[in-house]
Amino acid sequence: MEATFIIIREDLQVDPVTIVAEGLLVGRLPTCELLLNHPSVSRLHAGITSADGDFYIRNLRPGNPIMLNGARLEEYEALADGDVIGVGPFTLNIHFVQGTLVIQVSLQIAATAGDAVTRREASGLWELPTTVHLELPSTPPEGHLAEAAHKKPAARKAKPAADSSKALDVFWDKRITAATKTIKPSPLFPLTGRPSGKAQSVWTPTTDLRRRWPASLMLWSAIPIALLSVAGALFYASAFAPAPISEAHTRSSRLLSPPVANRANAGSCTSCHAFRADMEAKCSACHATEAFVATVIQPHMNAGIGCVACHSEHRGVEFNAIDGALQSCAECHNDSNQTLYNGKKVSTPHGGTFGYPVINGQWKWAGLDPEELLQRKTPLKLERLPSDSENQWRSKQFHAVHAYRVRAIGGLPGDKEGELSCPSCHATQNPPDLATPRTTCAKCHNGQEDPRARHQVIAADKPNCTSCHIQHRLDKRHWNPGLLAKATQ
């Protein structure tokens, strides 16, 4: 139902405005019929409409108070002639003239609706402006206002009827939605970042109402984090735990001959650590030279064992990677190790002995790796005859690795050249004695001084696993030159 409203603005130099509409929106949105431009006023603050012959005011934002004759307006309230409404620093004086609602607007400097409550409690009076001493213009509305000023105030209804209340709720929901859709985004009327839910969909605080502390807290928290990050980037080499990298990785030049790396690391962390590259790949890419290729045997690959599992770093400047790798064999392969590798458990090999690789006349030794066999076939003068069985072929390989090319040490008898021969390990030749070799293996395959590490890596009474089980099969140096009788490999 349409009603007539007359708005008189004392706070602005404008003429009175007559509005015929179903309802009157009060707020700071430009689409409001009664525009009150002040930060303490909500975008859509209040609404006035008629129902059952009366005018009702509704607080559209309960969190932002509206004062009616000094009392806080909760939701709906019927208006009576002479009422005074406080919205922020604005005072709305209410009059009725022949069914027309006249609203006279004045502005209290530095005043808010809350201030009015404080003043009322202190003095017992409502001190916001009223229309008692207004000088109205000589227009048709003025005469009616002057006449209405002497009338007895009409009785007020507290709330509209239930049906009318529901109708007003529906009306204001539609009215609010329509009003907000016509607003274009601007710094004063933001339309982004709204809270979810219909009740919060039409209001977002402008910059003058927003709390600044979350952004400040984030900024001041980011400053120390940034400083710590910069310090970590500048001193990353010494900031790593548990210990510095070994001296071999801090050298600026290569000392080993033949070299095992294609460049000197010079203490660089990024040679091994990178965001987009796997450490294993970077290790194998660096340790690839003519004399050495970083390879991993298939059983270790199946178990998920790579370079860093044996050659651990950051264990101190004096730590030697070769020592760590040779000693790691016994640390891993023992009965006390309960770790599972791809679901499988390891144990102490060979029953705790060195183990001669023949059981019941059959060779347990798998023979040389195909790639290694291709590399060593010519120096070892190996050739498989068509009549050779798999067992005979493995025997040929094993004896070619040992006989007539390795020095006889540890009190083993040798030939006239001082090299190992059949009598060095077998007490009898025909048939060959297979018991004695089991007692002679330890004389060579123990903790002798390793020429690569230039000192004794493994104790003399401990097995040297890598002397039999070659990890880096493409490493030309693993044919221990300390045991070879000749320079030829």
Side-chain angles (χ1 to χ4, degrees):
M1 176 181 176
E2 291 187 346
T4 303
F5 305 87
I6 298 177
I7 301 175
I8 301 174
R9 301 294 299 258
E10 284 192 339
D11 59 324
L12 302 174
Q13 298 296 322
V14 295
D15 295 331
V17 177
T18 300
I19 298 175
V20 179
E22 295 183 13
L24 190 73
L25 271 175
V26 181
R28 73 170 192 272
L29 273 182
T31 53
C32 293
E33 288 80 13
L34 179 51
L35 175 62
L36 304 178
N37 192 10
H38 191 272
S40 64
V41 180
S42 297
R43 301 172 72 191
L44 297 174
H45 203 121
I48 303 174
T49 190
S50 62
D52 301 327
D54 291 293
F55 284 90
Y56 290 90
I57 182 171
R58 179 187 178 185
N59 187 355
L60 301 179
R61 288 292 170 265
N64 202 357
I66 295 176
M67 311 306 294
L68 179 60
N69 297 331
R72 187 179 180 121
L73 176 65
E74 295 300 333
E75 191 174 5
Y76 282 107
E77 189 71 36
L79 295 176
D81 193 52
D83 283 345
V84 179
I85 303 172
V87 180
F90 296 93
T91 301
L92 311 181
N93 294 274
I94 302 300
H95 284 288
F96 292 98
V97 178
Q98 297 178 357
T100 300
L101 177 62
V102 179
I103 304 174
Q104 192 159 4
V105 183
S106 59
L107 175 65
Q108 297 296 303
I109 303 300
T112 65
D115 297 334
V117 176
T118 304
R119 290 195 299 272
R120 183 186 183 201
E121 292 175 349
S123 62
L125 299 174
W126 177 251
E127 297 181 0
L128 289 179
T130 66
T131 57
V132 175
H133 304 294
L134 288 177
E135 295 182 4
L136 302 176
S138 56
T139 60
E142 181 194 7
H144 297 301
L145 286 172
E147 181 182 350
H150 300 286
K151 287 186 178 181
K152 184 179 180 180
R156 174 188 288 122
K157 295 181 180 179
K159 289 184 179 181
D163 295 341
S164 298
S165 178
K166 291 181 180 180
L168 289 176
D169 288 338
V170 174
F171 168 77
W172 284 120
D173 286 343
K174 293 181 179 180
R175 184 73 173 81
I176 289 171
T177 302
T180 55
K181 283 183 178 180
T182 58
I183 298 300
K184 296 180 179 180
S186 72
L188 290 178
F189 304 103
L191 295 179
T192 58
R194 299 172 178 170
S196 60
K198 185 175 181 181
Q200 298 295 328
S201 63
V202 296
W203 186 83
T204 301
T206 53
T207 54
D208 57 323
L209 298 181
R210 287 178 179 157
R211 294 185 178 92
R212 301 295 183 182
W213 66 265
S216 301
L217 181 61
M218 182 175 293
L219 176 62
W220 285 105
S221 300
I223 291 176
I225 294 175
L227 292 177
L228 291 175
S229 300
V230 172
L234 295 177
F235 303 104
Y236 64 94
S238 58
F240 189 88
I245 59 176
S246 64
E247 184 269 339
H249 276 166
T250 60
R251 299 171 188 160
S252 57
S253 61
R254 299 178 295 178
L255 298 182
L256 291 181
S257 181
V260 296
N262 51 41
R263 63 181 181 277
N265 189 62
S268 173
C269 294
T270 55
S271 296
C272 300
H273 303 280
F275 288 110
R276 297 184 179 180
D278 180 66
M279 188 184 299
E280 299 286 343
K282 293 182 75 68
C283 289
S284 58
C286 179
H287 291 282
T289 65
E290 183 179 351
F292 178 82
V293 178
T295 53
V296 180
I297 60 175
Q298 192 62 42
H300 275 176
M301 295 177 63
N302 297 338
I305 302 297
C307 303
V308 295
C310 301
H311 300 280
S312 56
E313 255 293 5
H314 297 282
R315 294 174 62 177
V317 176
E318 301 300 326
F319 176 73
N320 188 292
I322 298 177
D323 295 10
L326 295 177
Q327 295 169 5
S328 66
C329 297
E331 293 175 0
C332 179
H333 292 277
N334 61 76
D335 294 333
S336 61
N337 184 8
Q338 302 301 316
T339 305
L340 296 180
Y341 300 91
N342 284 345
K344 295 182 179 180
K345 186 178 180 299
V346 295
S347 59
T348 302
H350 308 298
T353 68
F354 289 95
Y356 183 61
V358 177
I359 299 178
N360 298 326
Q362 298 296 317
W363 284 90
K364 182 181 177 182
W365 183 52
L368 296 174
D369 180 271
E371 292 185 40
E372 186 177 3
L373 178 61
L374 183 64
Q375 181 183 11
R376 305 299 181 183
K377 187 175 181 180
T378 301
L380 296 178
K381 301 178 180 179
L382 274 171
E383 184 175 359
R384 182 173 184 175
L385 300 177
S387 60
D388 288 341
S389 64
E390 185 65 31
N391 196 51
Q392 291 173 326
W393 175 234
R394 293 184 184 183
S395 178
K396 276 188 174 182
Q397 295 179 59
F398 183 85
H399 288 90
V401 169
H402 291 81
Y404 306 110
R405 63 185 312 274
V406 178
R407 289 190 298 110
I409 63 172
L412 293 176
D415 62 7
K416 61 180 181 180
E417 301 293 338
E419 302 172 359
L420 288 179
S421 61
C422 296
S424 301
C425 301
H426 299 280
T428 61
Q429 304 299 313
N430 192 16
D433 169 33
L434 301 182
T436 306
R438 299 182 187 277
T439 64
T440 59
C441 294
K443 295 183 178 181
C444 291
H445 295 279
N446 57 11
Q448 301 178 55
E449 178 177 324
D450 192 320
R452 296 171 297 180
R454 298 175 184 173
H455 64 277
Q456 185 167 306
V457 177
I458 303 172
D461 59 339
K462 299 296 182 182
N464 186 349
C465 304
T466 57
S467 63
C468 290
H469 302 280
I470 308 302
Q471 176 68 238
H472 303 296
R473 58 186 181 272
L474 299 184
D475 180 7
K476 294 181 180 179
R477 306 170 310 143
H478 82 250
W479 298 82
N480 193 334
L483 291 176
L484 291 179
K486 301 176 182 178
T488 305
Q489 298 184 19

